[in-house]
Amino acid sequence: MSKTVLLIEDEPHIVAALRFLLQREGLTVFDHGDGQDAMQKINSVSPDLIILDVMLPGKSGMQILEELRDDSRTRNLPVLMLTAKGQKKDREAAETAGASMFMTKPFGNEEILGNVKALLER
């Protein structure tokens, strides 16, 4: 059975690139570009992994992460946070909020695939 990844990212070129990479690895990929109703999408897809951008329209990735960790159904769901800001405080905030892993854009294909595989194997 294929694992499902939900990309919550609002930059179309990043979504397209990640979709291509992940589908090539045999993963089922869904995407969503708005933070406001991201929790509804998460609940409808029931992904095995979420790749979550920090900066989204409607609601930040950090707010979504906090909601995920406060909900018993999604508390342990692996979340890979992505950000264009590589500042130490952003990484620390994501880790404190419960991110499983944190990556700074731009990232290499092998790096993201390695991290996705590691999180799905947990």
Side-chain angles (χ1 to χ4, degrees):
M1 175 187 245
S2 177
K3 297 278 187 174
T4 301
V5 176
L6 175 58
L7 304 173
I8 303 177
E9 167 65 64
D10 63 326
E11 295 183 39
H13 65 282
I14 293 176
V15 171
L18 287 174
R19 175 182 291 284
F20 174 78
L21 285 173
L22 298 172
Q23 286 178 334
R24 192 174 66 187
E25 294 297 315
L27 299 167
T28 300
V29 180
F30 292 92
D31 65 84
H32 191 72
D34 191 298
Q36 191 62 43
D37 56 355
M39 289 302 293
Q40 288 114 319
K41 184 69 173 185
I42 292 164
N43 290 325
S44 71
V45 171
S46 296
D48 297 297
L49 170 69
I50 295 174
I51 298 177
L52 179 61
D53 189 19
V54 170
M55 295 174 57
L56 293 164
K59 186 186 291 185
S60 78
M62 294 300 292
Q63 291 171 301
I64 295 165
L65 180 60
E66 289 171 6
E67 287 181 44
L68 286 166
R69 296 308 181 228
D70 286 341
D71 188 328
S72 62
R73 296 170 297 172
T74 56
R75 183 168 293 134
N76 298 314
L77 182 63
V79 177
L80 172 57
M81 296 290 292
L82 298 178
T83 185
K85 300 187 288 182
Q87 297 176 339
K88 185 177 177 184
K89 67 180 177 85
D90 293 324
R91 181 179 298 271
E92 289 172 351
E95 289 171 356
T96 299
S100 309
M101 200 173 281
F102 186 91
M103 291 182 66
T104 303
K105 299 175 197 173
F107 44 80
N109 293 351
E110 294 306 315
E111 180 186 16
I112 190 113
L113 286 175
N115 289 337
V116 164
K117 287 177 183 177
L119 288 171
L120 288 171
E121 290 171 2
R122 281 189 186 175

